[in-house]
Amino acid sequence: MKLAIQSERHSEILMEVIPVFEGGKVLHVCNSCAARVQRFIKFGRFNASLGSTYKFTKEKDLGLIKEEIYVGLGKEEEITSERIRKAIAKAIREVKKLNVEKATVRFIDLDNISTEEVVKAITEGVVFADYEFNKYKEVKEDKVCLNEVRIASVAEEKVAAAEKALEEAKVIIDSTIAARNLVNEPANVLIPEELAKRAEDMGKEYGFQVEVMHKEQIEALGMEAYLAVARGSVNEPKLIVMRYFGDEANKENITGLVGKGLTFDTGGYSLKPADYMLHMKNDMGGAAAVIGAMAAISKNKVKANVVAVVAACENVISGGSYKPGDIIGSMGGKHIEIINTDAEGRLTLADAVYYAVEKEEVTRIVDVATLTGAALIALGDTTTAVITNNDEFYSKLQKAAEACGEKVWQLPAFEEYKELIKSSVADLKNTGGRYAGTITAGLFIGEFVKNTPWLHLDIAGTAWADADKDYLTKGGTGGSVRTLYYLVKNN
Ligand code: BES
Ligand code: MG
Ligand code: ZN
């Protein structure tokens, strides 16, 4: 989609989105439309509550029709950039129903939120809500695609800042959409080899280096836990390592981003029930998040050094699959008793984080994983659960998440929880029982990061949307791409 900034309010575009605060305050008032909004409110057509919309059609000269969508921003004193994102998403869903190719969205000029943030919120709301994954629909629905949106009425003195923000926003948006596309791609297409190929293509397009290691190389590294999970599939594992060095003067500071890359998770011999298995193509949502973040970081030339690692494989059943009761090794040397083959993600991640710390010498590390159903039970599908060994690092994550409207919440990591994953026959066992499932899963991974400052993001709830909601569309959300981007950008 083409996105642009314009200072004029009027243009040849006959579809305009007009944001309105509760009570009827329209920013950049033109007298006639302020009075009109007051009439809509007076006659009960529209109350400007957050995300409410009202369509108004008027005939222009020459028989042209101009349509206006009024969208509520809610109470002025409660406005946030996330609320702008949500409101604009609602408006865009209305715009789409009207089969137009172009629209303008009137800029929201605020004292307490910067031009930069508003531009990002509006454009993200627009593109994220407009998104559809329809590449496998041979017969496209008979409708026009929205292909150009302009932010209109930007004050002259703010145009430069708005345009600069737009350039950054476009890259962040593209990278997030790329992550959604990866998650939405079905598992018969997106096998580990294909995920590696997509990462390579994105590396060329956005400007980061990609190295793909094959089974023999993974064996040589001694990644026994990762290989135990991968063993059941005819589709071989691929270890994907992505590198971007944008801060040459600080070469010793490297952020590691490790994404869970299960291209499908059947549960293995601890087989998932059919309903739970249905959406397990999303079990590479963490990989999609770190690949998307690498794209945004490198294309926007962020001053930082980042190495991302994805241990891609699939968890399926065959005569070669690992089994409950097996005792397996790991790259870090610890032995692991397998209690449940469906707790596979932490095994692949144990080796992936160890590899990042040991071989890539990352100085702080974030792992991102659709790791536990328990995260959904605890926090629902709006909030990412976090475990850390470093509160200062967590507060940086909080700031990064706040900057983009994504939500994170820290769970405790008291040492008592570690008792739950001790095994009587090996160093660790791969599940800690029914209690505190998200915490014990995270702490398991933490056993392999040595003393490196570490954040574990359990995105089982936030990587996938069951239905269209606000600016998310059913399927992959592209969640965490933006949080990781701001975490790396703002240190
Ligand atoms: N990939 C799943 C977790 C998951 C669940 C992701 C729902 C997205 C939505 C993970 O591999 C898994 O199966 N976890 C088990 C762990 C259990 C066996 C300790 C779970 O959560 O049930
Ligand atoms: Mg599983
Ligand atoms: Zn899984």
Side-chain angles (χ1 to χ4, degrees):
M1 184 185 302
K2 197 177 155 218
L3 298 167
I5 304 287
Q6 70 174 41
S7 55
E8 308 81 36
R9 181 159 89 75
H10 294 289
S11 65
E12 73 285 11
I13 295 177
L14 294 175
M15 170 81 250
E16 191 179 10
V17 172
I18 303 174
V20 184
F21 280 117
E22 252 178 57
K25 179 167 168 191
V26 190
L27 301 149
H28 321 282
V29 209
C30 63
N31 290 336
S32 64
C33 90
R36 196 179 295 134
V37 169
Q38 289 304 336
R39 284 201 297 280
F40 297 156
I41 292 176
K42 184 173 167 203
F43 294 112
R45 295 290 187 276
F46 176 59
N47 63 11
S49 64
L50 181 65
S52 61
T53 56
Y54 183 67
K55 182 174 79 114
F56 179 71
T57 309
K58 61 184 175 191
E59 201 166 344
K60 297 254 293 181
D61 26 302
L62 302 169
L64 288 174
I65 295 281
K66 177 167 187 207
E67 283 164 309
E68 295 177 334
I69 304 256
Y70 291 80
V71 61
L73 294 174
K75 292 195 173 59
E76 189 172 3
E77 63 275 18
E78 291 175 2
I79 193 70
T80 60
S81 50
E82 179 67 354
R83 287 185 149 217
I84 294 174
R85 221 173 264 116
K86 289 180 178 176
I88 296 301
K90 285 269 172 47
I92 286 301
R93 292 187 196 280
E94 295 305 309
V95 169
K96 283 185 72 167
K97 288 182 193 159
L98 300 172
N99 271 331
V100 293
E101 279 179 41
K102 298 180 183 188
T104 60
V105 176
R106 222 185 278 178
F107 183 61
I108 304 165
D109 203 342
L110 300 168
D111 295 332
N112 56 342
I113 305 180
S114 68
T115 299
E116 178 184 353
E117 261 192 88
V118 174
V119 166
K120 285 178 174 170
I122 292 176
T123 50
E124 287 168 1
V126 167
V127 184
F128 292 164
D130 179 59
Y131 173 81
E132 281 172 47
F133 184 74
N134 56 12
K135 66 187 277 202
Y136 296 105
K137 282 191 175 172
E138 198 55 46
V139 185
K140 302 274 186 243
E141 283 163 44
D142 188 19
K143 63 179 182 193
V144 174
C145 289
L146 183 63
N147 59 29
E148 182 176 340
V149 173
R150 299 188 202 164
I151 301 182
S153 300
V154 179
E156 286 290 352
E157 68 274 15
K158 296 193 169 175
V159 167
E163 280 177 342
K164 186 163 173 274
L166 180 64
E167 288 317 302
E168 187 186 6
K170 279 180 182 169
V171 172
I172 298 169
I173 290 168
D174 283 352
S175 307
T176 306
I177 295 293
R180 284 190 186 181
N181 283 335
L182 286 173
V183 171
N184 289 335
E185 201 63 69
N188 59 323
V189 176
L190 200 87
I191 58 175
E193 186 181 354
E194 179 64 18
L195 180 61
K197 198 173 149 287
R198 302 267 176 120
E200 284 174 332
D201 291 347
M202 283 181 63
K204 286 188 196 111
E205 188 184 339
Y206 288 85
F208 57 92
Q209 284 180 347
V210 183
E211 182 186 356
V212 178
M213 288 182 238
H214 308 285
K215 195 172 137 211
E216 295 69 29
Q217 291 157 290
I218 301 167
E219 281 165 354
L221 285 166
M223 300 177 96
E224 291 179 27
Y226 169 27
L227 287 163
V229 176
R231 215 162 68 196
S233 178
V234 291
N235 298 316
E236 291 196 351
K238 301 289 169 192
L239 179 65
I240 309 165
V241 182
M242 294 156 272
R243 300 183 183 93
Y244 166 75
F245 283 82
D247 190 7
E248 293 281 339
N250 278 305
K251 268 203 138 143
E252 65 287 353
N253 287 329
I254 307 172
T255 302
L257 302 178
V258 178
K260 175 172 172 182
L262 265 289
T263 59
F264 199 77
D265 179 14
T266 67
Y269 277 108
S270 310
L271 191 64
K272 283 182 186 297
D275 291 356
Y276 286 57
M277 201 192 295
L278 178 60
H279 295 308
M280 279 303 137
K281 69 175 182 181
N282 83 26
D283 216 13
M284 37 57 71
V290 306
I291 295 170
M294 283 305 277
I297 291 163
S298 58
K299 186 96 182 243
N300 278 338
K301 300 202 162 52
V302 170
K303 198 169 170 228
N305 303 317
V306 193
V307 175
V309 178
V310 172
C313 66
E314 52 184 39
N315 186 21
V316 299
I317 294 175
S318 76
S321 299
Y322 77 141
K323 302 171 291 297
D326 286 0
I327 297 174
I328 61 172
S330 64
M331 186 176 176
K334 289 183 178 162
H335 281 87
I336 304 159
E337 178 191 8
I338 304 303
I339 303 294
N340 187 314
T341 61
D342 198 11
E344 83 299 336
R346 65 199 76 183
L347 302 171
T348 64
L349 288 160
D351 279 349
V353 296
Y354 189 84
Y355 168 87
V357 169
E358 191 66 20
K359 299 287 180 189
E360 302 293 334
E361 299 180 340
V362 301
T363 43
R364 58 177 195 170
I365 189 161
V366 188
D367 79 78
V368 191
T370 47
L371 205 65
T372 63
L376 267 156
I377 303 299
L379 301 179
D381 64 2
T382 54
T383 305
T384 291
V386 186
I387 302 283
T388 185
N389 60 3
N390 187 304
D391 288 336
E392 203 184 319
F393 198 14
Y394 178 72
S395 68
K396 288 181 178 167
L397 180 79
Q398 251 183 330
K399 288 204 184 76
E402 263 164 32
C404 65
E406 294 190 318
K407 287 169 191 63
V408 296
W409 198 260
Q410 186 181 358
L411 299 181
F414 303 124
E415 62 184 13
E416 284 78 358
Y417 291 114
K418 290 189 187 167
E419 296 298 318
L420 300 175
I421 48 173
K422 284 191 177 152
S423 161
S424 57
V425 291
D427 300 303
L428 292 165
K429 55 184 178 183
N430 80 329
T431 75
R434 275 171 52 80
Y435 294 167
T438 302
I439 298 172
T440 52
L443 289 176
F444 182 95
I445 298 166
E447 290 294 310
F448 297 85
V449 299
K450 300 185 171 172
N451 291 322
T452 317
W454 160 71
L455 296 167
H456 160 68
L457 276 57
D458 192 330
I459 58 165
T462 53
W464 182 266
D466 287 329
D468 292 356
K469 192 185 174 206
D470 296 326
Y471 54 85
L472 301 182
T473 49
K474 184 175 174 0
T477 61
S480 300
V481 169
R482 289 177 299 136
T483 295
L484 294 174
Y485 173 80
Y486 291 109
L487 177 68
V488 169
K489 185 182 170 196
N490 303 335
N491 289 276

